[in-house]
Amino acid sequence: MSELYERPKSILPNASSYCPGCLHATATKIIAEVIDELGVKDKAIYVLPVGCSTQGLVSWDLDIIGSAHGRAPAVATGIKRCRPDCLVFCYQGDGDLASIGLAEIMSAANRGENITVIYANNSIFGMTGGQMAPTTLIGQKATTAVTGRQLLGTGYPLKMCELIKELDAPRLVVRCSLRTPAGIKKARASILKGFKNQLEGKGFSFIELLTNCPTTWHTDALGSLDFMEKYTEKYFECRTFTDKEERFGE
Ligand SMILES: Cc1ncc(C[n+]2csc(CCOP(=O)(O)OP(=O)(O)O)c2C)c(N)n1
Ligand code: SF4
Ligand SMILES: [Mg+2]
């Protein structure tokens, strides 16, 4: 094993407790790889949200601070303003960021805070057992939408990149899918760019990662990848929405 794979320094040797096939684990790994590549392990601070991404607590060998549900961008704002030398990032799910935390993410993005937000969109409240999220697809089943989400009464699934790209302040707004190796490579490069933007003082970066939840989607790992290809990626377009080189405010 060790000949084939070297564990990133920013990852703890603990076994991950994500469900089998969960792409949160892939995101955890590439974020750690990027932190290693930039050599910023000792000054990285992860702002912990609520949801399955809290597994970062036992996965990353980083400084970590908890925040109330959805409030991670506000907490990250405070930390970054006090400790501008640190790399401050959020890794939030769609229930956390696009539902209860919608005000915090939009406000932090609009202020052009010099932080990096990585957003794992699996179109469901995973940790709590599969309730409908703002991102749940039309027709997708959830415990609170047993026959599938209906347009009338719940509206369209929220597209966070498309909302945030309308603001003038963000420097980077990009959506990638972790379904394929090419998508993972693009996601890794985007996270690297988002962290570099922060280290160079450029301002707010938002990287959305399309992920899965085999457990609450009631499928196996491969079935969840099929679902992503057939449905998730058809609705949530993977592309770069904003990529500005200049610093916000200059
Ligand atoms: C104030 C508050 N409301 C509700 C909850 C319950 N809760 C825990 S995780 C979660 C949803 C997380 O979903 P998401 O952000 O999509 O993350 P995922 O688990 O899907 O990765 C909710 C509603 C809570 N912990 N605190
Ligand atoms: S419940 Fe879903 S999102 Fe959470 S660890 Fe399991 S598969 Fe991943
Ligand atoms: Mg989710």
Side-chain angles (χ1 to χ4, degrees), residues 93-95 120 122-126:
D94 49 314
N122 60 5
S123 69
I124 203 88
F125 285 109

Side-chain angles (χ1 to χ4, degrees), residues 22 24 49-54 68-69 71 91-98 100 120-128 131 133 135 211-213 216:
C22 179
H24 269 309
V50 167
C52 285
S53 48
T54 49
H69 208 353
R71 277 48 175 174
Y91 174 58
Q92 301 173 255
D94 49 314
D96 187 71
L97 182 143
I100 194 168
N121 176 5
N122 60 5
S123 69
I124 203 88
F125 285 109
M127 180 181 253
T128 40
Q131 294 82 7
T135 44
T211 58
N212 61 351
C213 180
T216 68

